[in-house]
Amino acid sequence: MKKRTNVGFWEFIARIVLKNRLAIIALIILITIFFGLQWKNIRFSFTEANLLPDDHEVNKQYEAFLKEFGEEGNLIVIGVKGEAFFTPKAFAAWEKLTESLKNQKEVDLVISVTDLPKLQKNDSIKSFELVPFINQNKTKDAAYLKTVKKELFEKMPFYESLLFNKKSGSIRSVIYMDKKIINTSHRKNYILNDFIPKINDFEKETGIDLRVSGMPYIRTLNAKSIVDEISLFVGGSLLLTSLIFFFFFRSFRATLISMVIVIIGVMWTFGLLGLFHYEITVLTALVPSLVIVIGVPNCIFLTNKYQQEYLAHGNKARALQRVITKVGTATLMTNLTTAAGFATFIITNSVLLKEFGLVASISIISLFFLCLIIVPVYYSYQPVPKAKHLEHLSRNYTRSFMDWIEETVRYNRRYVYAVSIIIFIVSTFGAFQIKTSGSLIEDMPQKTDFFRDIKFFEKEFNGVMPLEITIDTQRKKGVMKLSTLRKMDELQKEIEKIPELSKPVSILNLVKYSKQAYYNGNPDFYELPTSQEQSFILSYAKNASKNTDKNIMKSYVDKEGRVARITTFMKDIGTGNMAKIEERLQKKVDEIFPSDRYKVVMTGKALVFEKGTKYLLNNLISSILFAILLISLLMVFMFRSFKMVVVSLIPNLLPLMITAGLMGYFGIPLKPSTILVFSIAFGLSVDDTIHFLAQYRQELVKNNWKIKRSVYATLKEAGVSMFYTSVVLFAGFSVFMLSDFGGTIALGGLIAITLAFGMLSNLMLLPCLVLTLNKSLANEQEFTKPAFDVLADMTDTDDEKNQDTNNKNE
């Protein structure tokens, strides 16, 4: 046969890499140093994930609310349950704690039982004034404290649900933080270094277990948990994948270089986060671990190919060259498809998902080049593989597993199809049972103290997640009109009927309290004034609100008196329940507030998150379809055969359906974390398909287009690497199940399960489909020259085969 004189693309790359080893190593070191210098720009997220596009109507309404009233998540609550609070020792310690908090610049206002203001009528100045509810000189008297408790619970309805639970006897203090620091690192430093130590000191002094919650507190500890888990995931992924790698190859050198490569990849990933000035969120925190989990399989394929080539002909230089030339395209395409699975999130309008998708996809492509370059360069400086390093190629357990796969494909294809169809039908039924969840705290670490405290406040005070309602009267001082107040009262009564919501707080509460104070504190008069009473009672209330910087109600009416704000807090409820509550409240709003006179908007962080979840769910199908389309185009580019693409998609869609079925049967809801599973798992699962089909192409040429012989040879040649990489991916994603975050656990577990089924599907169903459709797929006319001369690069000429035989004999 005439000797081939042209040089393929990957042969050209191989020559450059192997002839310029030192220069390439120096370049990688310089790039690593550059990315290392970007670490100083890494920031941590100080807010919850906003899943909606910036121009979404719900986001616009929320931003308008923040502009008018400031950050609504500035409330911290400290609670305690039990009789121990109303004892002289505990009361004194509580007073000391609240006083120390008041004196800090990070705190705007503290409302506590120890120095509770009481509204009192002053006829001489025709105004209400705030007087102390408690006589500080008597707080050492246990009997006096009992009377204080009784009066508080029976005669102060204004503070009910705000400071105490009348039924259970729970007490809490409310701390309003400075809104200017809520979304800054200053908040984190204050909570961790100042606030929490004060809480711990109180508990040590009194022996009382305090419960602490509120959005600033939750955000801080949740972010701290995310940061803490980065080291857990990176360390766990490195340890587990290195152990598996060593178990397969029995080589410290091979294991070492693989770990070095993925560590460099992790450094580059952090550098990308700093370079783009992206925040570390619950999603971007996963990328470094993903780099490790995805990078090790690359090293496995390249190392395995190097050892196979060396075992075939004993020529180290040729083996190193063929590591690049024979698997370059296949490895590139597998990494491109994996990156495509992440890149689909870039097309969404969610900033959070865009950043995650961009950093992950760039990191994966960068990792491919690191592996393709460093592995051959490293082995070029190392001694040739020893016999013990090549034993895994014929190890009994792998050979037995592959023999079972081959036997099943050879003799039991109909059973493979039957089982696949049954599994698909059963999984489809389960998929229709999947529910959705828009909970803001469901994915938070549930084993932590702050999560248990969230549950405490849900039980005692109906939650800590704010739901805001703004009422624009569209006229100056319209809020204090009695007609408006009556409408607000009707809406607040509706809110109180909803068990998932807390007692609302608004200017209406102060107006009612004003009437009670006017009638000398009689709680029977805690209600709206009548038409006859409104003129003098409201005039008293207006005078009382002048020049009061520490007024609790100052944030519930805008400066012009035009817009009123109603705040309620909600329990942790799912998307479906939230939608029902929203629909119920909207119906009431439409009933009592004419649209031509009032503009009423529901907003708040909890509602924004719920809407964001819905937005993602609505875009789930389009995201998956785009991933399938993008990956299909990549495979068309590689194989130039539409039929091969169709055949390759079936074994990879089946595992996705199995995962969806499992989610339905086991009650795992669709939420922001689990939504990511399908695109990511599909991109990774297709890798095995590409490796199988790339090897199959090579075997077809070697075996004169004999389909069966080529399929079985492919199973022997590529099956081991597919098995190894799938085990690494399964174990690597299983590391995420060590997380305290429910979403991360679900993400890791579901992807691991999907990849396990994907491996079996690609090793069994894919070759069965190829064999069944062999007449169509065996048409040599369809095998046009693939991208980057892949057939030429992966196929040996007769001269090369003879050279291999001579080298091996020598």
Side-chain angles (χ1 to χ4, degrees):
M1 180 180 288
K2 184 178 179 180
K3 187 174 181 177
R4 192 181 62 190
T5 58
N6 64 307
V7 177
F9 174 82
W10 290 109
E11 288 179 339
F12 175 71
I13 295 297
R15 291 181 183 181
I16 292 178
V17 170
L18 295 175
K19 288 184 178 181
N20 301 276
R21 294 174 295 176
L22 292 178
I24 290 175
I25 291 174
L27 179 61
I28 291 174
I29 292 174
L30 289 175
I31 295 175
T32 304
I33 293 173
F34 169 77
F35 280 125
L37 294 174
Q38 304 305 312
W39 286 23
K40 65 181 183 294
N41 298 322
I42 294 177
R43 298 176 295 140
F44 298 96
S45 177
F46 297 109
T47 62
E48 296 80 23
N50 190 341
L51 306 174
L52 290 171
D54 292 337
D55 58 352
H56 195 281
E57 182 62 26
V58 173
N59 252 348
K60 290 181 179 179
Q61 291 175 347
Y62 183 61
E63 290 300 323
F65 169 83
L66 295 181
K67 184 177 180 180
E68 183 65 55
F69 294 103
E71 173 62 48
E72 105 278 21
N74 68 324
L75 185 72
I76 296 180
V77 288
I78 308 173
V80 61
K81 185 176 182 179
E83 296 294 329
F85 176 80
F86 287 98
T87 60
K89 180 182 178 181
F91 204 83
W94 188 274
E95 184 179 12
K96 177 183 174 183
L97 172 64
T98 54
E99 193 63 32
S100 66
L101 293 174
K102 281 182 185 179
N103 295 330
Q104 294 178 305
K105 61 181 180 180
E106 293 85 0
V107 175
D108 266 353
L109 177 66
V110 177
I111 303 175
S112 173
V113 174
T114 56
D115 59 350
L116 198 62
K118 180 180 179 180
L119 198 63
Q120 183 173 286
K121 181 176 65 171
N122 188 330
D123 289 327
S124 62
I125 59 174
K126 295 188 178 298
S127 178
F128 296 116
E129 57 184 359
L130 295 174
V131 298
F133 173 61
I134 294 175
N135 187 339
Q136 298 296 334
N137 296 325
K138 296 182 179 181
T139 55
K140 295 182 180 179
D141 184 354
Y144 172 73
L145 291 178
K146 288 184 178 180
T147 62
V148 166
K149 178 183 178 183
K150 183 177 180 181
E151 184 177 357
L152 175 67
F153 278 53
E154 295 179 3
K155 297 184 178 181
M156 305 287 282
F158 177 76
Y159 293 109
E160 185 177 353
S161 296
L162 180 64
L163 293 185
F164 65 88
N165 183 325
K166 191 173 182 178
K167 294 181 180 179
S168 68
S170 296
I171 297 289
R172 71 177 179 179
S173 286
V174 179
I175 303 163
Y176 291 87
M177 288 189 65
D178 183 359
K179 295 178 180 179
K180 295 178 182 178
I181 70 166
I182 287 300
N183 295 324
T184 68
S185 59
H186 192 165
R187 182 206 73 207
K188 178 195 72 173
N189 296 331
Y190 169 71
I191 296 291
L192 296 178
N193 302 326
D194 201 345
F195 179 78
I196 291 179
K198 283 182 168 59
I199 298 297
N200 294 336
D201 291 342
F202 174 89
E203 292 178 334
K204 290 178 182 178
E205 181 180 350
T206 63
I208 296 176
D209 181 23
L210 290 184
R211 305 304 184 103
V212 184
S213 196
M215 294 311 297
Y217 184 79
I218 293 171
R219 289 170 176 172
T220 300
L221 295 190
N222 192 56
K224 184 177 182 298
S225 298
I226 293 174
V227 174
D228 292 342
E229 287 198 347
I230 293 178
S231 57
L232 171 66
F233 293 151
V234 171
S237 301
L238 275 174
L239 177 63
L240 189 58
T241 53
S242 61
L243 289 175
I244 294 174
F245 193 100
F246 180 77
F247 176 76
F248 285 153
F249 289 97
R250 296 294 199 277
S251 171
F252 285 107
R253 291 179 298 174
T255 305
L256 175 63
I257 192 57
S258 299
M259 294 304 103
V260 169
I261 291 172
V262 295
I263 289 172
I264 293 174
V266 168
M267 294 177 68
W268 287 20
T269 297
F270 280 119
L272 285 170
L273 289 171
L275 181 65
F276 296 146
H277 294 274
Y278 288 167
E279 292 181 343
I280 291 183
T281 64
V282 69
L283 288 182
T284 53
L286 300 177
V287 179
S289 300
L290 290 173
V291 167
I292 295 173
V293 173
I294 295 170
V296 170
N298 282 345
C299 296
I300 287 177
F301 269 108
L302 295 168
T303 302
N304 206 46
K305 190 62 182 177
Y306 167 62
Q307 294 180 352
Q308 286 176 341
E309 287 293 328
Y310 181 79
L311 183 65
H313 50 70
N315 188 315
K316 176 183 173 181
R318 184 177 292 274
L320 290 172
Q321 183 188 40
R322 291 188 182 177
V323 166
I324 299 175
T325 60
K326 298 186 72 174
V327 297
T329 298
T331 309
L332 173 61
M333 289 300 171
T334 57
N335 281 269
L336 284 177
T337 54
T338 302
F342 290 95
T344 55
F345 301 121
I346 299 175
I347 67 170
T348 67
N349 290 323
S350 169
V351 174
L352 182 77
L353 290 180
K354 277 184 177 180
E355 293 178 356
F356 171 69
L358 182 62
V359 172
S361 55
I362 293 177
S363 296
I364 290 168
I365 297 302
S366 301
L367 191 65
F368 159 73
F369 287 106
L370 281 174
C371 294
L372 191 70
I373 292 171
I374 295 179
V375 168
V377 169
Y378 174 76
Y379 284 119
S380 69
Y381 288 107
Q382 295 296 316
V384 297
K386 298 179 181 179
K388 66 178 183 178
H389 299 149
L390 304 177
E391 289 177 355
H392 71 94
L393 296 173
S394 58
R395 198 169 290 148
N396 288 333
Y397 70 85
T398 52
R399 186 172 64 247
S400 299
F401 175 72
M402 294 313 303
D403 287 345
W404 174 76
I405 293 290
E406 182 179 338
E407 184 177 352
T408 302
V409 173
R410 189 186 293 268
Y411 301 111
N412 299 296
R413 263 182 279 163
R414 57 183 179 180
Y415 294 113
V416 172
Y417 293 140
V419 171
S420 299
I421 293 172
I422 292 173
I423 290 176
F424 179 82
I425 294 173
V426 173
S427 299
T428 303
F429 181 76
F432 282 108
Q433 301 181 45
I434 297 179
K435 298 180 180 180
T436 60
S437 172
S439 167
L440 188 58
I441 70 169
E442 184 178 36
D443 283 345
M444 291 182 181
Q446 300 187 10
K447 297 178 182 179
T448 57
D449 290 336
F450 82 83
F451 186 87
R452 288 190 285 270
D453 288 349
I454 291 174
K455 291 300 181 182
F456 170 83
F457 284 103
E458 281 191 351
K459 180 180 178 182
E460 298 296 326
F461 297 95
N462 280 20
V464 294
M465 306 299 172
L467 176 64
E468 305 284 354
I469 301 175
T470 59
I471 302 167
D472 186 354
T473 63
Q474 303 191 55
R475 58 188 183 276
K476 193 173 182 180
K477 297 182 180 180
V479 171
M480 297 304 289
K481 298 289 184 182
L482 188 58
S483 58
T484 302
L485 293 173
R486 285 174 177 169
K487 293 179 184 297
M488 290 176 61
D489 189 35
E490 192 174 349
L491 178 58
Q492 290 194 188
K493 286 178 180 177
E494 183 69 20
I495 293 174
E496 291 180 21
K497 294 177 183 178
I498 301 175
E500 293 85 0
L501 300 181
S502 70
K503 184 178 178 179
V505 179
S506 72
I507 191 64
L508 182 68
N509 300 64
L510 179 60
V511 173
K512 289 182 177 181
Y513 193 20
S514 298
K515 181 174 179 177
Q516 179 188 351
Y518 188 83
Y519 287 100
N520 300 316
N522 188 339
D524 293 336
F525 290 94
Y526 183 75
E527 60 186 11
L528 273 176
T530 63
S531 301
Q532 293 77 17
E533 297 167 331
Q534 66 169 325
S535 58
F536 51 89
I537 289 180
L538 291 183
S539 66
Y540 271 62
K542 290 176 182 178
N543 292 333
S545 63
K546 292 179 180 179
N547 302 320
T548 52
D549 292 334
K550 296 299 182 182
N551 190 340
I552 185 178
M553 290 296 148
K554 68 177 182 178
S555 295
Y556 286 88
V557 181
D558 71 331
K559 295 178 181 179
E560 294 184 348
R562 168 177 168 166
V563 182
R565 165 189 177 189
I566 299 176
T567 299
T568 182
F569 297 93
M570 63 193 312
K571 294 181 178 179
D572 177 34
I573 56 179
T575 303
N577 291 333
M578 182 67 224
K580 291 178 182 178
I581 291 173
E582 183 185 3
E583 182 181 356
R584 178 175 175 178
L585 290 178
Q586 189 61 53
K587 183 179 179 180
K588 193 66 177 179
V589 166
D590 295 338
E591 178 185 326
I592 61 181
F593 290 100
S595 59
D596 59 330
R597 293 169 52 198
Y598 298 93
K599 182 180 180 181
V600 183
V601 174
M602 273 183 282
T603 186
K605 181 61 72 174
L607 185 65
V608 171
F609 189 84
E610 183 267 339
K611 296 291 185 182
T613 301
K614 273 190 174 181
Y615 174 82
L616 287 186
L617 294 178
N618 292 335
N619 286 272
L620 171 63
I621 295 178
S622 60
S623 176
I624 295 175
L625 290 177
F626 181 76
I628 293 173
L629 174 64
L630 186 59
I631 292 171
S632 298
L633 291 175
L634 288 172
M635 297 181 71
V636 167
F637 177 70
M638 179 177 179
F639 296 112
R640 305 297 171 89
S641 170
F642 179 75
K643 295 176 183 177
M644 292 291 283
V645 174
V646 174
V647 169
S648 66
L649 288 179
I650 295 174
N652 293 292
L653 293 177
L654 179 60
L656 297 186
M657 184 57 69
I658 294 174
T659 300
L662 291 174
M663 290 175 65
Y665 287 123
F666 288 98
I668 302 173
L670 275 177
K671 50 188 176 180
S673 52
T674 55
I675 286 173
L676 305 177
V677 169
F678 297 96
S679 295
I680 295 174
F682 182 75
L684 289 169
S685 181
V686 169
D687 291 356
D688 281 343
T689 305
I690 291 177
H691 278 293
F692 181 91
L693 294 179
Q695 186 65 40
Y696 173 63
R697 290 278 184 150
Q698 179 183 355
E699 296 298 333
L700 276 174
V701 177
K702 286 183 178 180
N703 294 288
N704 296 319
W705 307 99
K706 297 186 182 300
I707 299 294
K708 291 185 179 181
R709 184 181 300 175
S710 299
V711 168
Y712 301 140
T714 299
L715 285 173
K716 287 185 172 66
E717 183 78 11
V720 174
S721 293
M722 291 166 64
F723 171 69
Y724 284 177
T725 56
S726 296
V727 170
V728 171
L729 288 170
F730 179 87
F733 278 101
S734 297
V735 170
F736 293 137
M737 299 181 71
L738 299 174
S739 172
D740 288 330
F741 290 82
T744 306
I745 294 172
L747 178 70
L750 290 173
I751 291 180
I753 291 172
T754 306
L755 293 178
F757 283 113
M759 176 195 70
L760 293 174
S761 184
N762 278 296
L763 284 176
M764 300 177 73
L765 181 58
L766 177 59
C768 286
L769 288 171
V770 173
L771 288 169
T772 300
L773 302 173
N774 57 22
K775 291 183 180 180
S776 175
L777 297 177
N779 184 356
E780 187 175 348
Q781 300 302 317
E782 290 190 0
F783 284 76
T784 57
K785 194 172 186 181
F788 303 138
D789 298 316
V790 65
L791 284 181
D793 289 342
M794 294 196 309
T795 308
D796 296 336
T797 62
D798 289 344
D799 289 345
E800 288 174 326
K801 293 175 185 176
N802 294 333
Q803 182 68 39
D804 290 349
T805 303
N806 294 335
N807 289 337
K808 189 172 182 181
N809 291 334
E810 291 176 3

